[in-house]
Amino acid sequence: MLNEKVASLLNEQINKELYSAYLYLDFSLFYDSKGLDGYANWYKIQAQEERDHAMLILEYLKNNGEKITLEAVAKPDKTPNTLMDPLKMALEHEQYVTSLINNIYGEAYSVKDFRTMQFLDWFVKEQLEEEKNSEDMITKMELFGSDSKGLYMLDSEFAARVYSAPSLTL
Ligand code: FEO
């Protein structure tokens, strides 16, 4: 069994990751409605990754004999208007998720829960990648997004993203 607070925060994180999946699915639909299939593809795959994150935490709790409570997933609460909006919203959201992961890590550290710290190491690295991806997408949109040819090239780039299962095994 895990420390009660650590287990509770991990349980909550399942919900946060599923919310992230929901949010990115919403962004995918937004870009779909704008005719940008590549961006829509990128966020659809991102939604799959977020679901993977939730499942990894769920499996970790299960493996540790913890009871898991699934709460309602909130409606996506961000309304993008411009093509840049989802990109900036995603960065802000990922920075928030990083703070949540760091908080759980801090709790695990305080009770010498080395097992959870080791489990979360993957998420700490993943958050760096997620923030960097978000920042890069903003930069590219700033540089090339106002030109129709540039936007077409960017959309083609993001269309090439393919889903791959997480590298973490439990
Ligand atoms: Fe599951 Fe985007 O962090």
Side-chain angles (χ1 to χ4, degrees):
M1 296 288 276
L2 299 172
N3 168 271
E4 201 179 326
K5 181 81 189 282
V6 171
S8 163
L9 287 173
L10 285 168
N11 197 144
E12 281 173 30
Q13 192 63 28
I14 294 173
N15 189 277
K16 306 282 186 190
E17 300 291 344
L18 290 175
Y19 171 80
S20 301
Y22 227 33
L23 180 66
Y24 294 147
L25 207 49
D26 207 33
F27 290 171
S28 176
L29 293 172
F30 170 78
Y31 284 119
D32 222 27
S33 75
K34 301 290 180 193
L36 290 172
D37 298 349
Y39 279 90
N41 172 63
W42 202 93
Y43 276 107
K44 190 172 76 176
I45 291 172
Q46 193 59 29
Q48 284 176 282
E49 282 204 357
E50 297 300 351
R51 182 187 162 278
D52 288 340
H53 297 169
M55 293 304 290
L56 285 168
I57 298 168
L58 182 140
E59 289 297 330
Y60 178 74
L61 285 171
K62 257 173 53 178
N63 288 350
N64 280 278
E66 295 291 338
K67 182 178 180 326
I68 298 158
T69 308
L70 297 177
E71 303 288 351
V73 179
K75 181 179 171 180
D77 63 346
K78 300 177 195 300
T79 311
N81 292 306
T82 70
L83 297 182
M84 177 65 96
D85 284 347
L87 311 179
K88 292 198 167 167
M89 288 166 176
L91 175 60
E92 191 184 351
H93 183 68
E94 287 304 330
Q95 287 166 338
Y96 167 63
V97 174
T98 297
S99 77
L100 296 174
I101 297 293
N102 288 350
N103 184 44
I104 307 171
Y105 205 108
E107 286 295 333
Y109 179 78
S110 71
V111 295
K112 293 192 165 64
D113 179 355
F114 302 115
R115 184 189 294 172
T116 298
M117 287 161 66
Q118 193 180 46
F119 168 68
L120 287 176
D121 279 340
W122 183 88
F123 283 83
V124 171
K125 277 193 219 138
E126 178 75 0
Q127 281 311 118
L128 171 63
E129 191 185 312
E130 305 250 303
E131 285 188 38
K132 185 180 181 315
N133 284 341
S134 302
E135 282 166 3
D136 288 351
M137 288 177 85
I138 291 170
T139 303
K140 286 179 178 177
M141 181 63 87
E142 279 169 351
L143 285 172
F144 311 115
S146 56
D147 169 78
S148 59
K149 279 190 198 141
L151 187 60
Y152 181 78
M153 295 296 285
L154 285 179
D155 197 53
S156 303
E157 178 186 330
F158 296 127
R161 184 183 188 189
V162 289
Y163 170 74
S164 64
S167 53
L168 176 65
T169 48
L170 294 175

